[in-house]
Amino acid sequence: MKKTLKISLSMMCTSYLDLREDLDLFIKHKIDYLHIDIMDGHYVPNFSIGIDFCKAVYTYSRIPLDIHLMIEEPDRYIEIFSRFENSIISIHPETCYQPLGTIQEIKECKVKAGIAISPSISFESVKHLIPHLDMVNVMTVHPGYAGQRLFKPALMKLRKVSGYIEENDFGTEVEVDGNVSWRNLPGMIEAGADVFVAGTSSIFERDGSLEQNVTRFRKILDKAGNFNLNEN
Ligand code: DX5
Ligand code: ZN
C-alpha cells in the first residue's frame, strides 16, 4: 500500500531571527507539519517554545502543527493547543493517569490524537492505545534535546509499531523523531515510518542552505514513496 511520506519540521531548531523567511520557504515547499516541541522543565530538563510561538507560526503559515507535549499533566493544556485547526497533539502516555481518557479528550477537541513513546517506553506497554490514535511518534532519542545521536534499539520498536499498524490497517501515521539524519533516514523509511521530524541532523544542519536541504529531504521521501507504490 503506498504511503505518503511527510516532513515534520522541528521548529525548536529553526533560526528564530529569520523565522518569517524560513516560514515563507516552508510554505513554498508545502511542508506537511511544523513539529512543535513543548517542554516544561519537569518531564524533560529543558524549556523550548510555547503557545505564543505556536500562534505566531500557525497564523502566518497555516501549516498544521504537530504538537509534541513533553510535559507533565498534559490534560491541563489540551484545550488551548486544540485551537490550531488540522493539528495533531501527541502526549507521552506515562505523563497521564488515564492516557485513553486524554486521547479521547483530544479527539473531542476536534484535532488529531497521538502518543509519543520515548526509548524508555516499550511497544508492548502502549499497543492497546494504538487503535485509538491518528499518529504514533516513535522517539529515537531521549526526549528533551535536539542534536542527540540515534538510540539504535528504537528502530526495532519502530518496525514493530509500523508492522502492527500495517497488519491491522489502522491507518495510524507513524512518526520518527530524533537524529533523522541523511545517514539514518533510509533505515527509518525501511522500518516503516511515514512522518519524519527534520531537525539539526538534516534540514537545519550547517552544510547546504535551508532550501537545498528541504529539496534534498523531499527528493529522498518522494523516491522512497514511489518505490513503495511500485512494490505493491
Ligand atoms: C527531541 C526533539 C526533536 C529532534 C530535533 O526532543 O523532539 O525535535 O530531536 O532534531 P535532531 O534530533 O535532528 O536535532
Ligand atoms: Zn519532538
Side-chain angles (χ1 to χ4, degrees), residues 136-218:
V136 179
N137 171 354
V138 178
M139 291 199 74
T140 37
V141 295
H142 299 295
Y145 289 95
Q148 299 177 71
R149 294 185 63 72
L150 172 75
F151 179 71
K152 273 219 169 76
L155 286 178
M156 183 48 75
K157 191 194 312 177
L158 177 58
R159 213 181 291 281
K160 284 185 189 172
V161 169
S162 61
Y164 180 61
I165 289 168
E166 185 97 21
E167 264 154 52
N168 293 281
D169 203 13
F170 289 137
T172 309
E173 289 190 304
V174 182
E175 180 171 61
V176 59
D177 183 0
N179 195 211
V180 181
S181 64
W182 305 117
R183 185 187 157 134
N184 294 330
L185 186 52
M188 292 169 165
I189 294 171
E190 201 273 326
D194 34 42
V195 183
F196 301 84
V197 176
T200 64
S201 316
S202 51
I203 286 183
F204 291 105
E205 69 159 4
R206 303 239 179 283
D207 320 348
S209 72
L210 195 58
E211 182 136 35
Q212 284 165 338
N213 290 342
V214 168
T215 310
R216 179 180 175 189
F217 204 104
R218 180 65 81 193

Side-chain angles (χ1 to χ4, degrees), residues 2 5 11 21 41 49-50 65 90 106 110 126 129 131 143 146 166 172 180 202-203 212 215:
K2 172 158 169 39
L5 303 184
M11 294 303 285
E21 208 178 302
I49 41 196
L65 303 186
S90 296
I106 295 172
K110 307 271 180 279
V126 298
L129 301 176
E166 185 97 21
T172 309
V180 181
S202 51
I203 286 183
Q212 284 165 338
T215 310

Side-chain angles (χ1 to χ4, degrees), residues 21-101:
E21 208 178 302
D22 289 3
L23 287 171
D24 288 339
L25 186 72
F26 302 155
I27 294 165
K28 175 183 164 193
H29 286 270
K30 299 184 176 44
I31 292 296
D32 305 280
Y33 296 117
L34 297 181
H35 188 82
I36 306 284
D37 290 306
I38 303 288
M39 302 179 184
D40 63 358
H42 289 279
Y43 175 68
V44 291
N46 194 6
F47 297 92
S48 60
I49 41 196
I51 196 78
D52 291 337
F53 178 90
C54 292
K55 220 177 277 172
V57 299
Y58 183 74
T59 312
Y60 184 80
S61 70
R62 307 308 286 185
I63 299 175
L65 303 186
D66 169 20
I67 300 165
H68 177 187
L69 295 181
M70 286 177 264
I71 61 174
E72 288 182 349
E73 298 182 87
D75 297 80
R76 297 174 56 194
Y77 306 98
I78 301 301
E79 195 281 324
I80 194 162
F81 281 108
S82 69
R83 294 176 193 172
F84 306 110
E85 285 147 45
N86 307 319
S87 294
I88 300 177
I89 298 178
S90 296
I91 49 101
H92 284 263
E94 70 276 24
T95 62
C96 307
Y97 287 114
Q98 311 301 338
L100 268 177

